[in-house]
Amino acid sequence: MSDGLARTLFALSDANRLKIVELLKTGPLPVGEIAVQLQLNQPQTSKHLKVLLEADIVRMEPVANRRIYHLRTEVFQGITAWSQSFEQQMVSRMVRLEAYLEQQQNSVDSEGVNKNGG
């Protein structure tokens, strides 16, 4: 696992940060609006946003005296690729299991034919 992926997963391991990501899926928001929607105080919200910013999950755009946060969706491509590797591994295991079970069934069938037919 790469350091970047580990940082991303750590950042997303907090429920409030996940909620922030969900909010930002709909579009950019200022810190104050995020705080209001999550019913957090602004310092707490800023702390969570800092973690998300350091993990490259969000980017910040200063506009006058406000900080607008945008979701960076490209980071989720890495998570998707990583999780799909598990899916590929499971499919491979299932294919091997299916081949093994088929081999066992054929072995049982051939033993039965020899006993009954011979």
Side-chain angles (χ1 to χ4, degrees):
M1 177 186 304
S2 74
D3 288 345
L5 180 59
R7 215 175 23 253
T8 299
L9 294 175
F10 170 78
L12 295 173
S13 68
D14 181 89
N16 285 319
R17 291 192 289 266
L18 279 175
K19 290 175 187 176
I20 291 170
V21 168
E22 288 294 321
L23 283 176
L24 293 176
K25 278 178 20 179
T26 62
L29 291 170
V31 178
E33 181 63 28
I34 295 169
V36 167
Q37 289 197 37
L38 295 182
Q39 298 178 350
L40 297 172
N41 63 42
Q42 192 151 343
Q44 279 181 300
T45 305
S46 293
K47 179 182 170 187
H48 289 302
L49 285 165
K50 181 180 179 189
V51 173
L52 294 171
L53 189 63
E54 289 173 352
D56 291 327
I57 295 171
V58 299
R59 69 177 175 83
M60 189 270 297
E61 175 187 13
V63 176
N65 64 344
R66 297 174 13 157
R67 293 180 176 180
I68 311 297
Y69 284 86
H70 302 257
L71 188 61
R72 297 185 61 181
T73 56
E74 58 273 7
V75 72
F76 295 98
Q77 294 169 354
I79 295 172
T80 300
W82 179 69
S83 66
Q84 285 176 342
S85 71
F86 289 96
E87 181 181 352
Q88 292 164 356
Q89 187 178 39
M90 291 307 299
V91 167
S92 176
R93 286 181 179 180
M94 294 307 253
V95 166
R96 288 195 312 266
L97 176 60
E98 184 179 22
Y100 172 78
L101 292 173
E102 187 175 308
Q103 178 186 13
Q104 293 300 311
Q105 185 62 44
N106 290 341
S107 175
V108 168
D109 289 347
S110 66
E111 287 176 13
V113 168
N114 289 339
K115 288 179 183 175
N116 294 331

